[in-house]
Amino acid sequence: MHHFTRIEGALYAEGVPLEELADAIGTPAYVYSTATLTRHYTLLRRALDVHHDAFGGGLIAFAVKANPNLSVLATLARLGCGADTVSEGEIRRALAAGVPASKIIFSGVGKTDAELAFAIRAEVRQINVESAAELFRLMVIADALDASPAVALRVNPSIGAGGHARITTGGALDKFGIPLEQALDLYEIAHQSPNLTPVGLACHIGSQIVDLAPLEAAFAALRDATQILRSRGLPVTRLDLGGGLGVPYHGQAATPSIDAYAAAAARALEGLDVEAAFEPGRLLAANAGVLLASVVQVNERPDGRRFLVLDAAMNDLMRPALYDAYHEIQPVYDQGGEPVPYDVVGPICESTDVFARERVLAPLEEGDLVAFMSAGAYGAAMSNEYNSRPLIPEVLVNGEEWALVRPRPSYDEMLDREIKADWLD
Ligand code: LLP
């Protein structure tokens, strides 16, 4: 559930009409809802608290990649949320937003030496190591820093899952994680190193997962691996169950409930006496954001096909172009009228700049506003300046108030970031 609702035909973000925001900051723009972020975090927190013992409390570490906006992170941090990070930039963002280092997990398949050293110095909660090569590099770096960072090994359980082949991470051919057998041996090696403190295992098999079965299989694999490691006399105190739970982009309740997800995880961890961590990204942020756009024009072809050309494009919201992702599109003012099919497109010179084909919408005209729903995760986060379109602004709404939390750069600001080679002057 989210807090973008219609009042007398007009779409609101909590207590603020989206039209007011469009007037104030222009379009396109991302709009986030504090109440929705809070609601999702609280629902997950409560669901985990039901199984407090199985999870040893349980840390929620928001996957920063889903929405790295500082105000979004700070909103979650104030609720007690930690952060799952995959770069020095993300660690810095999490710290700047007020997430304590003790709640920051550092994941990622290609952490550089500099990033590993930064994470050690920052004293993050744990580094999730994803390969033998990384483990050995980390040993050397930690030795040089005279440190012994907490390490979890991310295993690849050969269970891929997710809403699209391009967002699967746990399959045998995926680049992520360490094959289970190898992870068991590496754990022992890590244990013998004075410069590593192995604390447990981690796993993340994919994203937009709408079926609990593969997640349960992955959790069971972690459980089995824990028991094997312990039978070899190796301590395992933490299990990181990753993120991946899907959200209902189509509006229907096709996704597992948060309670069912927590119960499944608890069944796997029951009696293990470990501290669990969860790394949700989409679950917390997707429905907490919309992309607000204006209709530039409607191009009608002689054959009747209508192209709804928006001022937002694939550089602002890549998910449809990249994964054929579906985002519900709502007119900000529902003026009634017989709905008609539109090909909803952006102005970019690429034929993949299509948000939806033959989407049936209430009639729209030049200047009308539309909102892409469920755009709070992997929306602004993945945007870029293709076609020299400056990054679009982000707004955070909180009840009746709102704040521009990332302004729209001017064209000069965009150009001023570059330096012309001196021989071209
Ligand atoms: N933990 C790790 C190690 C991850 O790689 C990811 C996401 C997450 C947690 C959070 O997963 P979530 O709970 O959000 O499913 N850009 C794609 C999604 C890519 C996800 C990558 N990893 C999209 O727009 O659908």
Side-chain angles (χ1 to χ4, degrees):
M1 210 212 90
H2 57 72
H3 291 262
F4 296 94
T5 50
R6 211 166 271 288
I7 304 173
E8 291 173 4
L11 200 56
Y12 278 62
E14 303 188 25
V16 181
L18 287 178
E19 190 179 17
E20 182 185 317
L21 294 175
D23 286 347
I25 53 159
T27 59
Y30 277 98
V31 181
Y32 307 127
S33 152
T34 301
T36 313
L37 287 167
T38 306
R39 178 185 161 82
H40 292 164
Y41 177 81
T42 309
L43 283 178
L44 180 59
R45 186 66 269 169
R46 283 196 200 134
L48 299 183
D49 286 346
V50 170
H51 311 281
H52 186 273
D53 292 348
F55 298 142
L59 173 72
I60 303 175
F62 175 62
V64 171
K65 63 170 80 69
N67 191 324
N69 182 280
L70 280 178
S71 296
V72 167
L73 297 182
T75 300
L76 292 170
R78 284 172 72 166
L79 298 168
C81 193
D84 167 56
T85 60
V86 292
S87 67
E88 179 171 336
E90 286 193 353
I91 298 175
R92 285 180 184 271
R93 272 184 185 275
L95 290 169
V99 181
S102 61
K103 290 185 184 175
I104 296 178
I105 296 171
F106 188 26
S107 310
V109 87
K111 309 174 191 80
T112 64
D113 287 3
E115 287 180 311
L116 288 169
F118 178 82
I120 294 172
R121 285 203 196 91
E123 295 183 8
V124 299
R125 173 189 184 81
Q126 80 195 35
I127 298 174
N128 287 358
V129 168
E130 299 218 18
S131 62
E134 185 189 348
L135 190 77
F136 293 121
R137 275 197 302 123
L138 182 59
M139 258 183 220
V140 175
I141 296 163
D143 181 33
L145 294 175
D146 201 15
S148 185
V151 162
L153 297 189
R154 175 171 174 182
V155 299
N156 178 322
S158 280
I159 306 165
H164 190 282
R166 290 191 198 152
I167 53 175
T168 297
T169 51
L173 297 183
D174 292 320
K175 66 178 177 178
F176 304 94
I178 308 168
L180 212 53
E181 278 303 314
Q182 189 190 12
L184 299 175
D185 294 340
L186 287 177
Y187 200 87
E188 185 140 19
I189 292 170
H191 184 66
Q192 284 154 7
S193 163
N195 293 109
L196 297 176
T197 308
V199 292
L201 302 170
C203 186
H204 171 80
I205 59 170
S207 197
Q208 185 53 15
I209 301 171
V210 293
D211 176 8
L212 281 183
L215 287 167
E216 285 180 301
F219 300 162
L222 286 184
R223 179 192 177 89
D224 294 347
T226 301
Q227 283 163 339
I228 295 171
L229 290 173
R230 286 182 175 164
S231 71
R232 296 184 189 173
L234 301 167
V236 179
T237 56
R238 294 183 192 164
L239 288 182
D240 178 344
L241 305 187
L245 193 59
V247 302
Y249 283 106
H250 288 265
Q252 74 272 36
T255 50
S257 75
I258 292 178
D259 291 339
Y261 169 74
R267 275 195 299 280
L269 268 50
E270 200 66 64
L272 272 191
D273 191 23
V274 290
E275 195 180 353
F278 298 84
E279 301 174 349
R282 194 186 310 269
L283 184 70
L284 300 188
N287 289 333
V290 300
L291 167 60
L292 190 57
S294 300
V295 176
V296 174
Q297 63 194 24
V298 183
N299 295 352
E300 281 211 46
R301 292 266 172 86
D303 66 0
R305 187 171 285 274
R306 283 181 207 85
F307 289 95
L308 188 72
V309 186
L310 302 179
D311 60 357
M314 63 187 270
N315 68 304
D316 305 310
L317 177 64
M318 284 182 77
R319 304 193 66 256
L322 209 49
Y323 321 113
D324 292 321
Y326 177 96
H327 284 268
E328 191 188 337
I329 301 169
Q330 289 199 21
V332 167
Y333 257 109
D334 193 347
Q335 288 148 338
E338 191 61 29
V340 287
Y342 289 101
D343 283 2
V344 184
V345 304
I348 281 189
C349 302
E350 287 257 2
S351 42
T352 52
D353 188 22
V354 175
F355 291 115
R357 291 275 184 201
E358 306 204 341
R359 186 69 65 84
V360 178
L361 302 170
L364 288 157
E365 293 172 6
E366 225 173 279
D368 284 348
L369 294 168
V370 296
F372 286 84
M373 310 306 290
S374 309
Y378 307 109
M382 294 172 70
S383 61
N384 59 70
E385 291 181 341
Y386 188 37
N387 277 207
S388 288
R389 296 164 48 84
L391 291 183
I392 64 176
E394 296 175 281
V395 170
L396 181 65
V397 172
N398 182 27
E400 310 269 303
E401 55 179 353
W402 61 270
L404 181 61
V405 292
R406 188 180 73 181
R408 189 190 306 278
S410 68
Y411 286 104
D412 282 342
E413 282 166 336
M414 185 172 76
L415 297 180
D416 284 349
R417 290 204 316 257
E418 291 174 36
I419 304 161
K420 221 198 271 170
D422 52 11
W423 63 85
L424 296 172
D425 276 335

